[in-house]
Amino acid sequence: MGGNPAYIVDDHEVVIEPWIWECAQLEIKRREQYLEEHNITRFSQNTEANPFSSKIICGECNRAFARKGWWTPSGDRKVWQCSERYKVKGELGCGNRYVYEDTLIEIYLMAWNRLLECRESLVSEWGRKMQGEDLLERLQAKNFMEITKDAQPIKELDIDLMLRTVDCIRVLENGVVVIVFLDGTEIEYSSKN
Ligand SMILES: [Zn+2]
């Protein structure tokens, strides 16, 4: 492997290497499985306004969290809660805790910066995956190798970067939040609401 994934033959034609094309098919399948596994109808089209849509997963029942706006003494805050919480009106379904969106952003930033700190030890793992049989794993390892190269710690949410690197964020009942990156790295933090 190596070289450019796509190269320009002439002004109009772009040839995609077969393994990249195959990856795209596998990625479509992976996303379908993800939606099915977490009982989500479709991925949000409005990632700018709601970047975490479909990405926050309940650690208790494996369904997706949904976002709500809540008025609190400190103003309007976005909060995420399991979509199974009130499945039947008036009846409590999944009992998992809620989590504030600012908390999720804060934890995501810490996790990404931590991943950058650990880059040196992850590089050998990515290198191994880039030689492996699993095409999606190969592509993700390659992406992470490139994205993290010379990358600086971030202080604010970079939506594009987050969407390219985060598989999902699991919220557990005991307050632990696990950021699952697309290369397979998982970093967890304890949250306090
Ligand atoms: Zn749940």
Side-chain angles (χ1 to χ4, degrees):
M1 218 173 65
N4 295 322
Y7 53 93
I8 295 165
V9 171
D10 61 38
D11 285 350
H12 310 289
E13 199 181 354
V14 174
V15 173
I16 310 274
E17 282 182 26
W19 82 275
I20 294 287
W21 186 85
E22 209 175 312
C23 272
Q25 308 308 307
L26 289 169
E27 178 61 16
I28 291 169
K29 206 169 281 176
R30 190 189 72 85
R31 288 186 190 197
E32 281 171 3
Q33 279 167 0
Y34 182 98
L35 293 179
E36 199 177 326
E37 189 188 336
H38 304 302
N39 199 29
I40 306 166
T41 342
R42 62 185 174 87
F43 282 109
S44 167
Q45 305 296 308
N46 196 357
T47 45
E48 200 61 43
N50 189 2
F52 288 119
S53 173
S54 325
K55 286 205 178 283
I56 315 299
I57 301 299
C58 179
E60 302 307 309
C61 74
N62 209 23
R63 296 293 169 88
F65 268 34
R67 185 168 81 168
K68 296 171 181 18
W70 271 7
W71 285 100
T72 71
S74 49
D76 189 12
R77 286 181 90 181
K78 298 278 187 292
V79 74
W80 287 81
Q81 196 170 52
C82 183
S83 50
E84 290 291 297
R85 192 168 176 86
Y86 300 106
K87 190 106 198 247
V88 181
K89 216 173 177 209
E91 221 174 277
L92 189 65
C94 177
N96 200 356
R97 72 214 312 274
Y98 62 85
V99 57
Y100 286 115
E101 186 163 289
D102 353 338
T103 306
L104 290 173
I105 294 174
E106 201 182 308
I107 288 176
Y108 160 72
L109 292 175
M110 288 195 293
W112 176 253
N113 291 335
R114 181 86 188 110
L115 184 138
L116 291 182
E117 266 173 41
C118 301
R119 185 179 192 273
E120 222 164 295
S121 57
L122 289 167
V123 159
S124 59
E125 178 68 8
W126 294 333
R128 193 185 57 74
K129 285 182 173 169
M130 282 167 74
Q131 307 298 321
E133 292 289 302
D134 188 318
L135 289 184
L136 272 187
E137 229 176 63
R138 262 164 70 174
L139 184 64
Q140 288 303 347
K142 186 174 179 288
N143 285 344
F144 273 72
M145 197 77 98
E146 286 165 7
I147 294 169
T148 56
K149 192 168 187 283
D150 302 322
Q152 296 302 311
I154 53 172
K155 291 197 180 85
E156 273 172 27
L157 179 65
D158 176 338
I159 295 173
D160 187 51
L161 176 71
M162 191 277 289
L163 293 172
R164 282 169 68 202
T165 53
V166 170
D167 178 37
C168 69
I169 299 174
R170 282 184 191 282
V171 179
L172 275 60
E173 207 172 19
N174 61 5
V176 169
V177 175
V178 187
I179 311 282
V180 183
F181 288 102
L182 282 164
D183 72 323
T185 303
E186 295 188 5
I187 299 179
E188 59 174 65
Y189 286 95
S190 197
S191 74
K192 38 196 184 317
N193 272 335

